[in-house]
Structure formats: structure tokens, C-alpha cells
Amino acid sequence: MKTMETAKNFIYRNARPLDFARWQYHFENGSREAVLKALAAYQNEDGGFGHGLEADCFNPNSSPIQTWTAIEILREVRMTDRRNPMIQNILRYLESGADFDSSRNQWLNTVPSNNEYPCAVWWKYDDKGETKMDYNPTAYLAGFAIKYAEADSKLYKLACEIAKEAAEWFCAKAPFQEMHVTSCFIRLYGYCAEAGVQLFDMGLLLRKLKEQVNCNITKDTEKWKANYCAFPSNFIASKNSPFYVDNMEWVNAEVKHIKENQLSDGSFVVPWNWGNDYKEYEIAVNWWKSDIIIKKMLYLKAIEGM
């Protein structure tokens, strides 16, 4: 398949070791261990992640967003063993209270040390702007802790408290336009379901999430070509998703879009820029292309079974 072959060529020519390992794991019978080994290079002694793992921020210090990125990769390669040292160290970072705003009961979306390193404008720290970052990535991190932390730990109790507050907030607000917050609540719901806990009305949250997903998907498919917008794949990973049936039209439209809009080098348009003069953006955009390729090929694989 040309789409896959040209994608592979880009990965082999351009990907970071981590994304190369991810590609091999998903499409060439590569090992989970290779992914974990590459991912470990981004983990700090405090258990959090940094070093530009989230490619739009070159801060080497740990932050909740960089740690969220690592957890997404762990989930992607199905690392679910809570005894795994990487997971245990993430839990240690989250329980430490670092980068946590107790006045809002949320982890920070941006951290002050971001301002010392090249990054996109949205990762610049502004304590006033923090109040606008409703539960991104807090809802996600709380869900992770609920699934993996020990039930008698301080972190687990905090995560349960946050989850209840977050679910109440979301159900009162939805539907609204914010795809990143939506993704965090999808993960919160998923982690709670996997952990078998009933901290809030799961049925209500799922109904609200279904409304939210349909509301957030950009229906003007012309915008998909060059705009930063919400694709079905931002919320729907496979036909088993609870959001698939209500959005089949858009899921199938994205499959077609991927096949018709792959660039000649095998990559796809990166529809954002940093909004500043940092030359490191050119490095970051190349990293993002590999990440986007992997996600789009996984989407084709899940929907079409290729």
C-alpha cells in the first residue's frame, strides 16, 4: 500500500529513536521494550518527563504535560503493569505535589521553567492563563492515578477527589468547544471503567462525552487540509469506541482524507506554528511529522483493518 510505504520511508529517514521504535512496534513486529528504552531517556529523576518529549516545548524539566505525553505512549504500547518502574516513577512524581496547584486542585498545564527554553507560545507560563486550562491535563492524570496508584495512597485519594469534581464540572458544562479537554475526559472515563470504580455517574458522563465528541469534530472537511481542528481520530481510536456509531460518516471521511492528503515525502501537513521566532520550531515540526504519521497509520489500521 503506497500510503504505508511512503510513510515508512519518512520514518526511516527522519524519526527520533522513540518514534522509530513506535513505528516498528506497531507495523513491523518490533518490541515494546525498544519503545520503553527510548522513552526512558525522557524521564527525569523526579519521575516526571521533559526534554522535549512533547515536541513543542524543549524544556528538559518535568512537567504534567510532558508526563501526559509519556503516559499516552505507554497506553499506546499497552504497558499496563503497575509494577513497571516507569509507571511507579510517574506515580511518585504525581504524588510529590510538584507542579500541582492546590488552590485549584489541578496539575499545572504549563510550568514556569518553560519560559527558559524554546517553546510554542501556548506553552509559555502565565499564572493568570492557568485558570483557563480547565482540567487539561488534570482529568487525564487523575484517571491514570485511579487505575495505577495503590488504593491506600495519598495520590489515589487525591485523584478520586479530583475525578468527582471534574466529572461534575464537565457534565454541567458540556457540550462546548475544546478538543484537548474533551480528550482528557475520555481518558478519565476510560481509566475509571478499566479500574472498575464508580466515583460518579458514569452513564451521565458517557452521554455527555458523546454530545461533546460530536460537537467538537470539525464538520467542514475542507478545514482538515490545513487548519488546526478536531478530527474524529482525536476521540475515536477504533470501531469499538463508544463514539464510533454516532460519527461513522466523519470517521469514514477521515480515512478518505488521509489517503488523499499525504504529502509526497510520506508525511502530512503540520497545521500549526509556534507563533514566535525560535528556530527550534523547524526541528519540532519534523518530529511532529513522524508522530502524526504513526497516529494516522494506526487509525487506518483500526478502521480498515489493513
Side-chain angles (χ1 to χ4, degrees):
M1 182 179 182
K2 185 179 179 181
T3 303
M4 181 67 74
E5 188 62 29
T6 54
K8 174 184 175 178
N9 289 340
F10 186 94
I11 295 290
Y12 269 70
R13 293 166 182 161
N14 296 277
R16 301 190 276 188
L18 172 61
D19 297 323
F20 184 75
R22 290 169 63 203
W23 173 270
Q24 291 198 314
Y25 171 80
H26 289 297
F27 304 110
E28 298 179 5
N29 297 313
S31 70
R32 178 190 292 123
E33 288 67 30
V35 177
L36 297 181
K37 182 178 180 181
L39 182 59
Y42 297 88
Q43 191 167 32
N44 290 313
E45 289 186 7
D46 63 5
F49 283 76
H51 305 280
L53 178 59
E54 204 283 1
D56 286 331
C57 185
F58 278 40
N59 188 353
N61 299 293
S62 297
S63 73
I65 283 290
Q66 299 277 1
T67 304
W68 160 83
T69 305
I71 297 170
E72 275 287 90
I73 294 171
L74 291 173
R75 188 177 182 90
E76 179 187 290
V77 299
R78 298 178 176 85
M79 170 46 69
T80 58
D81 184 357
R82 69 172 62 197
R83 299 167 299 178
N84 177 269
M86 192 173 291
I87 289 178
Q88 285 298 309
N89 285 325
I90 291 172
L91 295 172
R92 178 167 56 84
Y93 167 69
L94 296 178
E95 189 164 15
S96 72
D99 306 318
F100 186 80
D101 183 351
S102 57
S103 68
R104 295 189 302 122
N105 223 23
Q106 293 194 37
W107 281 279
L108 295 176
N109 179 272
T110 63
V111 296
S113 58
N114 283 357
N115 295 353
E116 301 170 20
Y117 299 93
C119 67
V121 292
W122 52 87
W123 292 137
K124 285 290 185 181
Y125 178 75
D126 174 4
D127 58 352
K128 294 180 181 178
E130 274 297 314
T131 60
K132 301 176 183 178
M133 302 301 178
D134 293 311
Y135 291 106
N136 175 20
T138 294
Y140 185 111
L141 297 177
F144 174 81
I146 286 167
K147 180 171 181 181
Y148 291 105
E150 296 295 337
D152 60 351
S153 67
K154 180 178 70 173
L155 176 61
Y156 182 85
K157 293 171 184 175
L158 174 63
C160 290
E161 179 183 319
I162 290 171
K164 292 174 185 176
E165 294 172 355
E168 181 179 354
W169 175 87
F170 184 87
C171 290
K173 294 281 187 179
F176 56 88
Q177 288 293 332
E178 222 306 322
M179 61 179 175
H180 302 295
V181 172
T182 303
S183 296
C184 286
F185 276 90
I186 289 173
R187 287 288 188 258
L188 173 63
Y189 174 86
Y191 278 129
C192 288
E194 291 163 14
V197 299
Q198 291 285 337
L199 300 169
F200 44 79
D201 188 334
M202 292 281 282
L204 175 60
L205 179 58
L206 181 58
R207 290 194 297 274
K208 288 294 184 178
L209 280 170
K210 287 181 177 180
E211 292 179 30
Q212 182 78 354
V213 167
N214 188 264
C215 170
N216 276 207
I217 290 173
T218 300
K219 306 300 198 309
D220 182 354
T221 57
E222 281 300 305
K223 291 183 177 179
W224 291 5
K225 294 180 179 179
N227 293 69
Y228 185 65
C229 55
F231 288 91
S233 57
N234 290 118
F235 318 112
I236 302 165
S238 73
K239 292 181 178 180
N240 294 324
S241 167
F243 315 113
Y244 171 72
V245 172
D246 293 339
N247 297 286
M248 279 192 291
E249 174 187 355
W250 309 111
V251 168
N252 293 330
E254 186 175 358
V255 168
K256 180 181 179 183
H257 170 82
I258 291 170
K259 293 178 178 179
E260 293 179 352
N261 290 276
Q262 187 178 29
L263 301 178
S264 60
D265 67 357
S267 70
F268 297 85
V269 169
V270 178
W272 66 86
N273 62 68
W274 281 10
N276 53 42
D277 296 327
Y278 283 123
K279 296 187 183 302
E280 286 82 357
Y281 168 74
E282 298 302 329
I283 299 171
V285 76
N286 206 49
W287 290 347
W288 276 119
K289 284 185 175 184
S290 293
D291 181 73
I292 290 169
I293 285 171
I294 291 167
K295 289 174 179 173
K296 289 188 182 297
M297 295 305 105
L298 281 174
Y299 186 72
L300 292 183
K301 182 179 180 181
I303 302 303
E304 292 204 314
M306 69 179 200

